[in-house]
Structures are given as C-alpha cells and as structure tokens.
C-alpha cells in the first residue's frame, strides 16, 4: 500500500466531523486510532466521513468498530437494548 492517510477535522456545534482519505492499514492504524481517541475524549459525537478511503484492512475495521463501541452510551442498569429486526 502506498497512499498516505490524511485526516482532517472540522468542529461543529453539535459534533466533530473527521474526514479520512487514503489507505487505512496496519501502518496507518496508529495515526487513525490516536486521532479518534483524542476527539472522542472531547465529549462531542464524532462523525467519520470515509468516502475518500481507497483501502481498509482488518486492522482498520477493528479500530473503527472499537471506537464506535467505546462511544456508545452505557445503558442504565436494568434496561435492555433494542435490537434491529433486520438480519445482517
């Protein structure tokens, strides 16, 4: 893989928009993880625009999944999560 990863950040009132372009692979995952973790700590919802991503490997998918799970609000004790009726 030879296309560099670029990450740009735009702050909006209600969220942060992260635009990612290039290749997300094992060599660029630390850069992406660091940026997403830093932004998530800010407390605003983070929206990732991946339309400029030309390649993503399993390491990249894992980072995105982990950050999405970490960003989910915890359900209060004794409540259940509603699951979609649609199978993947």
């Amino acid at each position: 893989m030879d296309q560099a990863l670029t990450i740009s950040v735009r702050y909006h009132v209600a969220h942060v928009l992260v635009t990612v372009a290039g290749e997300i692979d094992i060599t660029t995952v630390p850069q992406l993880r660091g940026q997403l973790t830093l932004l998530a700590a800010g407390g605003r919802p983070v929206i990732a625009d991946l339309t400029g991503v030309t390649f993503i490997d399993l390491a990249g998918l894992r980072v995105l999944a982990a950050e999405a799970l970490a960003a989910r609000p915890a359900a209060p004790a004794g409540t259940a999560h509603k699951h979609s009726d649609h199978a993947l």
Side-chain angles (χ1 to χ4, degrees):
M1 307 300 137
D2 59 3
Q3 187 176 0
L5 184 69
T6 59
I7 301 172
S8 63
V9 179
R10 293 184 61 197
Y11 292 89
H12 297 269
V13 174
H15 66 277
V16 178
L17 177 63
V18 179
T19 303
V20 183
E23 297 180 352
I24 303 173
D25 58 28
I26 196 148
T27 62
T28 60
V29 156
Q31 177 186 358
L32 179 61
R33 181 186 302 114
Q35 187 68 62
L36 292 176
T37 300
L38 179 68
L39 293 171
R44 283 193 233 177
V46 177
I47 299 172
D49 176 0
L50 305 176
T51 56
V53 173
T54 57
F55 175 83
I56 185 167
D57 69 4
L58 184 57
L61 292 173
R62 283 184 178 153
V63 165
L64 293 174
E67 291 296 328
L69 286 174
R72 288 177 48 189
T79 61
H81 290 284
K82 180 180 179 195
H83 294 280
S84 172
D85 295 329
H86 302 287
L88 292 177

